[in-house]
Amino acid sequence: MSTSWHEEIARAYAELEQSQQAIAQVQHDMAGRTITATSKNRTVSVVVDAQGEVLDVKFPTRAYRSMPTPELSALLVETIGQARRQATAELASMFSAVLPQATPIADMLNGTADIDEMMREVMRQMPDMPGAPRPDRS
């Protein structure tokens, strides 16, 4: 290995450590955070944690008592969804500040990211790095 390749590895390792520290800070900052969503008609209020888990459901008024069950059910589902989307957006925003720009943060948070494809793309780009060793073609 050449000296420049060693330096490149050391630089990449230092960047990785910085990224890990920044990600840990985001996780710490999100640990106690809650997000509250209130229905448009103010009948239902839902509190979720940063991961979108429902922590509390409140009924600020007595309007829910006179609502038909399907309407109340739909309102609950809609408000819970709204709270979860807000939590995901907030989490994505915080992680976007510490992860590479092309990282599919929203896909990673909602479980639809293709991690294998992401790793294949990283491996495809490796030979293009300055000073990277070339595969032995013997």
Side-chain angles (χ1 to χ4, degrees), residues 17-55:
E17 284 183 333
Q18 288 174 342
S19 292
Q20 287 173 328
Q21 290 171 358
I23 290 168
Q25 184 62 48
V26 168
Q27 290 172 326
H28 179 267
D29 292 347
M30 294 301 294
R33 185 166 263 157
T34 60
I35 293 88
T36 302
T38 303
S39 63
K40 292 177 187 176
N41 65 3
R42 304 253 182 243
T43 301
V44 176
S45 181
V46 175
V47 179
V48 298
D49 65 13
Q51 288 75 37
E53 293 296 318
V54 176
L55 300 175

Side-chain angles (χ1 to χ4, degrees), residues 35-132:
I35 293 88
T36 302
T38 303
S39 63
K40 292 177 187 176
N41 65 3
R42 304 253 182 243
T43 301
V44 176
S45 181
V46 175
V47 179
V48 298
D49 65 13
Q51 288 75 37
E53 293 296 318
V54 176
L55 300 175
D56 195 12
V57 176
K58 297 177 182 177
F59 300 94
T61 68
R62 294 179 184 251
Y64 72 94
R65 292 181 178 196
S66 61
M67 292 177 75
T69 302
E71 184 180 343
L72 179 57
S73 176
L75 190 61
L76 277 166
V77 169
E78 177 185 324
T79 308
I80 290 169
Q82 177 187 350
R84 286 182 170 165
R85 286 187 297 278
Q86 287 175 337
T88 299
E90 190 170 323
L91 200 56
S93 174
M94 291 184 79
F95 274 114
S96 69
V98 298
L99 293 174
Q101 188 173 6
T103 306
I105 298 166
D107 292 342
M108 292 171 72
L109 292 174
N110 68 27
T112 61
D114 185 345
I115 303 299
D116 291 334
E117 179 54 33
M118 290 170 58
M119 293 307 297
R120 282 191 291 276
E121 181 60 28
V122 167
M123 296 309 288
R124 278 192 291 270
Q125 292 176 11
M126 287 292 289
D128 296 335
M129 291 178 61

Side-chain angles (χ1 to χ4, degrees), residues 1-13 130-133:
M1 263 189 199
S2 70
T3 304
S4 64
W5 184 240
H6 283 289
E7 291 169 355
E8 190 68 25
I9 289 173
R11 183 190 59 75
Y13 185 73

